[in-house]
Amino acid sequence: MRAQLLAQAKRLVVKIGSSLVASRDGGLRVAQIASIVSDLAQIHATNRQVVIVSSGAIVAGIQPLGLKAYPQSIPLKQAAAAVGQSRLIRAYEKSFEKTGDTVAQILLTHQDLADRKRFLNARHTLTSLLKYDVIPIINENDSVSVDEIRFGDNDSLAGQVAHLVDADLLVILSDVDGLFTADPRQQPSATLIPLVEKFTKAIEHTAGVSRSQESRGGMVTKIHAAKHVARFGVSTLLLNGEIQGLLPTVLQGKSGGTFFLPHISPLNSRKQWIAFTLRSKGQLQLDQGAVEALQQRGKSLLPSGILDVKGQFNAGDPVTCIDKKDREFAKGLVNYSAQILRDIKGRNTRDIQKQFGKREYEEVIHRDNMVLL
Ligand code: GLU
């Protein structure tokens, strides 16, 4: 299965971690960038499309700005990213020139993908670039991103890009060999997990104890990204990017890294966008009956099952549904504002009609706009 999915993957999103392309005291790792570029060019030449998501802007900006350490304040991070990003892209461009490939830089903020129209625009741009055989190199637009509009880490950005371009495979290159049963630095007996078929609690726990240097996310965000893309039918490969030639051989079926199998019944693009791209604006706490109706019987959410409404949101906003123990289990686009829901929660349709007249929608969240998490 692993070999087959890797062999069939035609459109790849390759995430490259900061530590692979830059170091805090030495600036850009030009030779290492050239090594990765040579592997990617080889893959590109064998009839596969490549979209790069590269970190490293902030780290690459540390040395030229004369900073002593990784910047902590937002303005300094933004300044370092502005200086580092242009150097980073120049290094990629120079290396890809040698292999005869054309690259394009795209910097995204979360808002570019949270708005469905802008999401589709970005998708068109990327699809056109791929049609013209260009290798897009994407990063978060760190210099203008403040917390509310951040992706936060590039593992999550790469996962969203995989959805954006409808990729077959997400490759995450970092300075570790893959997911281990424990932290290999502390437990030499730890072994590499070559295949993950299901995202169990044990796997997520294993990620918590594994390490990755420099990158903002570490192993936890990598597993989250893999879990998310699996929901829409994309497999993930975690691989050590320091080893030249490894990725092309692994794609041809050799062992290496950790491979995550995709979900068997993937979500469609719109549901995927609701589940993965949109950020929840509030929560609806549901009684047991409503939880079961949503989880087991594929029903829409009605006002009668709502116990509590948390947060402020408007009609059309994304909200999460939680059970009595505060566990999030569904997310969807709500038909009514928080204010209206506070009035109609817990009541049946006839009651609501009597007091408020006929409402436009019977459902609070229609099944078509809802995803189970
Ligand atoms: N966008 C950040 C950068 O280029 C990296 C974020 C991350 O490490 O995940 O420096």
Side-chain angles (χ1 to χ4, degrees), residues 15 17-18 54-60 70 81 85 88 139-142 150 152-155 157 214-217 221:
K15 189 262 174 171
S18 290
S54 180
S55 303
I58 298 177
V59 180
Y70 193 90
Q85 178 65 26
L88 187 62
N139 195 358
E140 173 150 23
N141 197 350
D142 291 302
R150 289 198 78 84
D153 67 83
N154 272 13
D155 296 322
L157 170 63
E214 297 292 353
S215 94
R216 224 178 251 163
T221 53

Side-chain angles (χ1 to χ4, degrees), residues 211-233:
R211 79 174 186 113
S212 170
Q213 290 172 358
E214 297 292 353
S215 94
R216 224 178 251 163
M219 202 43 90
V220 174
T221 53
K222 292 180 177 45
I223 305 300
H224 277 165
K227 185 175 171 182
H228 277 132
V229 299
R231 287 296 302 275
F232 55 101

Side-chain angles (χ1 to χ4, degrees), residues 13-24:
V13 170
V14 181
K15 189 262 174 171
I16 304 173
S18 290
S19 63
L20 292 174
V21 295
S23 72
R24 293 179 188 204

